[in-house]
Amino acid sequence: MITMQHVCKTYKVSKRDAGFSSAFKALFHKEYEYIHALDDVSFTISDGEMVGYIGPNGAGKSSTIKILSGILTPEQGTCLVNGMTPWKNRIAYVKNIGVVFGQRTQLWWDVPVMDSFELLKEIYRIDTPSYRRTLTELTEMLGLSSLLQMPVRQLSLGQRMRCEIAASLLHDPEILFLDEPTIGLDAVSKLAVRDFIKKRNQEKNTTVILTTHDMQDIEALTDRVILIGKGSILLDGTIEDIKTGFESTEEALAAFYRSHHI
Amino acid sequence: MRLYGKYFVIHLKSVMVYKTSFLLTCIGQFLVSFNVFLGVYFMFQRFHVVEGFTYNEALLCFGITLMEFSLAETFARGFDLFSYIVNKGEFDRILVRPRNEILQVLGSRMEFSRIGRIFQAIVMFAYGFAVSDVSWNLLKILTVILMILGGSVVFGGLFLIYASICFFTTEGLEFMNIFTDGAREYGKYPVCIYGKRVLQLCTFMVPYALIQYYPLLYLLDRGKAYYSLLPVVACLFLLPCLLLWKLGVRHYTSSGS
């Protein structure tokens, strides 16, 4: 169970114009601008639900994920995930979540994938029998058997992403955050990743929160969509709510963004 | 501790992938410190004695300081490169793992090519050891070990301060190198030769003197017995560093998506 209530997050960004003289001025006097990344965001997600979290770039998607995974602390509002506040008691909290950042790798670059997994086993203090069981399961479902002995730098993006997802699930978390898991993947890999997420959600009842720009991800995976723009939630419903009257979801979404001036 | 061992092994494996690069960097590291050694050598060609310290004694001092610095640099490299870790968003990953942040940062980078420097330090120390007139006994050997450990801790603490500043500026501040690289350079000679003010500064502000000058006096039979324990006192320096780090982690605001 995830509840977020009236969460606000503001970033302080130094403002300056282009050009050398203003860069020089900024050395002595900085002007700051406050950007409201999240402005009174509230929602509830129940156990085993799969939710698509969408919105244009800079809408506050990543900020939300970072708050939910305990990386950032909001200025205002409360957030409870399985009865715990993410940014308090970090170490106890993160044992139960898995996070995939699609644009960053968490695997060791020069060594075989297996070595990274072994290290994660140690980091999460997973006992050997359950580690073996989870690993066999994940290897089978994600088709990793031929990849485990390869150094990460030799993997293709699609292969690597499958390994990333496996790495985030080794400790068998109850909640999985996926930040753009299909970014840059080819059709085959995308399908494999989607398939896996769906299965995982159905079989293990893992709660999944997914951010993406790919509307097909959303159509294939989630019933519920939370749409965020300029830091506030604009819509919490199904994909059909946005789609009404349009042929493709993409067009519908673009029209929706335009109508909200985002 | 077991986790740290795992990190150690994975870094060793990574290093072995690029053998030639590793070897060349080691040699480079060795040559750079060798240069510094030549500086000391030519200096003493002219003066023979600096502030009451002979060439061999200064060499002993330099060997130990270099060893302390190299050890700290090998194992606390993650803090030295911390601005990079923050900018790349690697610190986000560290925060979503259920382990102490400092341990993970330490584990994220290890610089084995510093072995070149450590080797240099060992050679210099061995030479200083052999030619100096120190009458060695168990207590003095223990003092040297304490100096090396305490020194690595002090340098480690400085790296930690350097890293903590990144939380506030997202870039490392080059002026911090005065305290790290600078100390390595100035550490060639016992700190007292720079004058009384510097000695005071190095005793009470950043405790270089506690890990270098005072215990050295003891080794050379010119100091009091309790001087040999001062490196342990120097470890207290780590406390304010850790405090600053905690403050920094609370201030952390992540970077980009």
Side-chain angles (χ1 to χ4, degrees), chain A residues 9 11 62 66 69-72 90-91 94-95 97 99-101 103-104 106 108-111 115-116 118-120 122-125 153 168 179, chain B residues 2-3 6-7 10-11 13-14 17-18 87-101 104 107-108 250 252-257:
Chain A
K9 176 80 199 169
Y11 294 109
S62 290
K66 281 176 184 168
S69 50
I71 296 170
L72 292 180
R90 180 183 72 81
I91 289 181
V94 296
K95 274 181 194 159
I97 61 165
V99 190
V100 176
F101 295 113
Q103 315 213 41
R104 292 176 196 154
Q106 62 165 318
W108 247 258
W109 196 242
D110 294 312
V111 293
D115 286 342
S116 294
E118 293 276 338
L119 189 72
L120 286 169
E122 201 60 42
I123 288 177
Y124 284 97
R125 295 194 171 95
R153 68 191 144 86
S168 300
D179 196 0
Chain B
R2 255 189 69 192
L3 178 61
K6 282 269 181 184
Y7 275 122
I10 211 163
H11 280 287
K13 280 184 185 166
S14 301
V17 179
Y18 306 105
N87 281 333
K88 284 270 169 182
E90 278 177 52
F91 196 65
D92 289 356
R93 179 51 71 187
I94 284 175
L95 284 177
V96 299
R97 284 178 176 161
R99 282 306 183 97
N100 180 279
E101 305 104 31
Q104 288 189 73
S108 70
R250 214 172 300 155
Y252 178 65
T253 46
S254 185
S255 74
S257 64

Side-chain angles (χ1 to χ4, degrees), chain B:
Chain B
M1 215 52 220
R2 255 189 69 192
L3 178 61
Y4 194 75
K6 282 269 181 184
Y7 275 122
F8 190 84
V9 171
I10 211 163
H11 280 287
L12 213 57
K13 280 184 185 166
S14 301
V15 160
M16 285 191 289
V17 179
Y18 306 105
K19 288 184 210 84
T20 324
S21 155
F22 173 69
L23 212 68
L24 287 176
T25 325
C26 282
I27 294 171
Q29 293 282 340
F30 182 86
L31 287 178
V32 168
S33 343
F34 191 66
N35 234 346
V36 182
F37 161 72
L38 284 182
V40 179
Y41 176 76
F42 287 127
M43 183 83 172
F44 276 96
Q45 287 276 298
R46 299 243 155 177
F47 298 105
H48 305 290
V49 173
V50 174
E51 288 272 328
F53 289 92
T54 66
Y55 172 57
N56 297 330
E57 288 164 357
L59 214 57
L60 199 64
C61 174
F62 181 39
I64 294 175
T65 311
L66 192 65
M67 182 106 74
E68 292 161 353
F69 182 78
S70 318
L71 278 173
E73 216 184 12
T74 308
F75 296 105
R77 185 70 171 158
F79 293 118
D80 201 10
L81 295 175
F82 194 67
S83 64
Y84 179 84
I85 293 181
V86 168
N87 281 333
K88 284 270 169 182
E90 278 177 52
F91 196 65
D92 289 356
R93 179 51 71 187
I94 284 175
L95 284 177
V96 299
R97 284 178 176 161
R99 282 306 183 97
N100 180 279
E101 305 104 31
I102 290 182
L103 179 69
Q104 288 189 73
V105 175
L106 284 178
S108 70
R109 294 281 190 295
M110 283 179 210
E111 200 66 56
F112 289 112
S113 59
R114 292 297 182 270
I115 282 172
R117 249 186 214 160
I118 295 177
F119 183 65
Q120 167 98 56
I122 292 172
V123 169
M124 219 149 351
F125 177 72
Y127 182 71
F129 181 92
V131 294
S132 71
D133 318 312
V134 178
S135 50
W136 291 97
N137 57 36
L138 196 69
L139 209 67
K140 284 188 179 172
I141 292 172
L142 205 72
T143 308
V144 172
I145 295 173
L146 278 182
M147 281 168 89
I148 291 172
L149 289 179
S152 310
V153 168
V154 169
F155 281 115
L158 284 168
F159 283 129
L160 195 59
I161 293 180
Y162 182 72
S164 309
I165 292 174
C166 298
F167 283 123
F168 302 97
T169 62
T170 58
E171 280 298 325
L173 292 180
E174 282 301 316
F175 82 84
M176 274 301 291
N177 289 349
I178 299 171
F179 296 106
T180 52
D181 293 295
R184 188 193 68 220
E185 293 301 307
Y186 291 124
K188 296 187 281 203
Y189 308 107
V191 281
C192 70
I193 70 158
Y194 302 109
K196 203 171 164 215
R197 282 263 176 273
V198 177
L199 182 63
Q200 281 170 346
L201 210 71
C202 293
T203 309
F204 299 109
M205 284 287 291
V206 185
Y208 297 124
L210 300 188
I211 53 164
Q212 190 225 30
Y213 174 61
Y214 294 114
L216 188 75
L217 285 184
Y218 173 73
L219 290 184
L220 304 173
D221 292 318
R222 284 177 220 162
K224 302 185 182 77
Y226 75 86
Y227 281 3
S228 64
L229 287 175
L230 285 178
V232 182
V233 180
C235 293
L236 288 177
F237 178 63
L238 208 53
L239 290 177
C241 305
L242 284 173
L243 215 66
L244 187 67
W245 169 263
K246 288 270 177 216
L247 206 71
V249 173
R250 214 172 300 155
H251 187 269
Y252 178 65
T253 46
S254 185
S255 74
S257 64

Side-chain angles (χ1 to χ4, degrees), chain A residues 43 45 49-55 61 64-65 176 178 180-181 197 207-215 217-228 233 235-239 242 253 257:
Chain A
F43 57 78
I45 295 167
E49 215 177 337
M50 183 138 53
V51 177
Y53 198 58
I54 56 174
K61 297 190 300 292
T64 314
I65 296 281
L176 180 62
L178 298 160
E180 306 189 24
I197 297 171
T207 312
V208 179
I209 295 164
L210 170 92
T211 80
T212 183
H213 292 291
D214 189 330
M215 282 309 114
D217 281 352
I218 298 288
E219 280 173 358
L221 288 173
T222 65
D223 301 322
R224 182 173 165 200
V225 176
I226 297 176
L227 202 157
I228 187 173
I233 290 180
L235 184 134
D236 186 348
T238 62
I239 197 80
I242 307 171
L253 202 62
Y257 288 167

